[in-house]
Amino acid sequence: MKKSIYKIFAAAVFVSGLASAQRPAPAPKQTVPVAITGATIHTAAGNVLQNGTIVFENGKITSLNGAVPSNAKVISAAGKHVYPGFILLNNSLGLVEIAATTATVDYREANAFMPEIRTLIAFNTDSHVIPVIRTNGVLLTQPVMASGVLKGTSSVMNLDAWNWEDAVVSKDNVLHVSWPANRKSTDEKRNREMKERRDAALLELKSLFLRAKTYVPKSGIKDYKLEAIEPVYTGGKTVFIEVPGANEALEAIKFAQDNGFRKTVLLGDASLTGVLDDIKKSGFPLIVTNPHSLPPNDSSSPMLSYAFAKMVSDKGILHALDYSSGKDFSDSRNLPFLAGTTVAHGLEKEKALQSITLNAAKILGIDKDYGSLEVGKSATLFISDGDALDQLTNNVTEAFIDGRQLNLDNQQKELYRRYREKYSSEN
């Protein structure tokens, strides 16, 4: 009873604290054409326009290097850079506010098999973390549960909305699987226990997919787990399979192929180096999980995680980057700098840009509207003073989602202004 009271008290204090700090309201709908002129435009479609002009109206890009409408709002961006909004894959942003406060955490469930869980309805558009994340150009996200083997269905959300209904870009389009790891121990008894648990998890996983393949509702009674899985066979959902190592990747590829999944994506780190040819042969895209990671084992080069994205790209595998880590929801503002790290280790800059824009959009199935700056696509973009993949020069000055100009203020900027004023007045 006391613990419950303490939780309620902590949540009340937390909410009270947030109330004292104003979060910027969502931007109003675009009403006049906007023209950004004189900028270096990184289209993410394979070309860079020097001293370029981009015009958008009613939330859509209408021209690149075309005429500026007479009624347009003109933003002079000479010497600056324009990019498509970055896309944050496989992340808990919007599902947690403070990890240590249980009342604000929605990314954990006790059940390991929960395909019917839909993250979009738990997505918190009022999160005070979101304005900080988008300050570095991250404008779309994919909120995903952090626990479980079959860990629910995700959607693609934009980062400026009044509620989750307004935020949805693509609804319930990905089913997430965390492939059980084949761990080894020096203790024989523990090895047996881990193998038993893994075998049981794989049996349950395979059973659910097998039953979903032939699922037909009876007398109006629905099985919500099977109903959530069934669209992977018709192409209505993509299956994301996160694999902890090379052997598990081979198992997951065989599982997806044997089951006839229409669209499958693998997620993994540099431990997959030895099976890249198998991944290429499968035709599955690969999401490289957080290049700012330790090498997969003691015998690997300390630079392997940084260089892995280039190895994947050189194989011709469609790839993207995520920011999966212990504090992925708060630290994911650093997503562009992951791409910058891959540039420092050999990947071409525009290919690195695609790994957090167009490639991510292709993997999510939203590339018709997002991921690159092309006529007819959404005006979801931002202006930076310098190279957005470089931590020293990234400084986002304006950002737009579907043509709506965002208020880029946030709590961290407010604190900076407050204490700069304090210490400036004391000197």
Side-chain angles (χ1 to χ4, degrees), residues 269-292:
D269 59 18
S271 63
L272 305 185
T273 301
V275 294
L276 286 181
D277 286 334
D278 298 275
I279 295 173
K280 170 63 176 176
K281 186 178 178 181
S282 74
F284 297 164
L286 175 63
I287 296 173
V288 178
T289 54
N290 196 359
H292 285 183

Side-chain angles (χ1 to χ4, degrees), residues 33-92:
V34 174
I36 301 171
T37 63
T40 300
I41 301 175
H42 302 261
T43 67
N47 59 323
V48 178
L49 307 178
Q50 303 293 339
N51 192 25
T53 296
I54 182 169
V55 179
F56 48 95
E57 187 173 1
N58 297 321
K60 298 289 186 181
I61 298 172
T62 55
S63 75
L64 290 167
N65 282 349
V68 176
S70 58
N71 63 333
K73 173 184 176 181
V74 178
I75 299 175
S76 177
K80 297 185 179 184
H81 298 255
V82 176
Y83 295 87
F86 298 148
I87 302 171
L88 181 62
L89 295 168
N90 189 39
N91 198 272
S92 61

Side-chain angles (χ1 to χ4, degrees), residues 342-363:
T342 67
V343 174
H345 288 81
L347 191 62
E348 294 176 26
K349 183 170 288 188
E350 296 308 310
K351 287 186 177 180
L353 173 63
Q354 289 178 338
S355 70
I356 55 174
T357 54
L358 184 58
N359 289 0
K362 288 179 178 178
I363 288 170

Side-chain angles (χ1 to χ4, degrees), residues 7-8 10-12 14-15 95-106:
K7 284 184 178 181
I8 293 170
F14 168 72
V15 171
L95 302 181
V96 56
E97 194 72 7
I98 297 179
T101 305
T102 306
T104 74
V105 175
D106 281 324

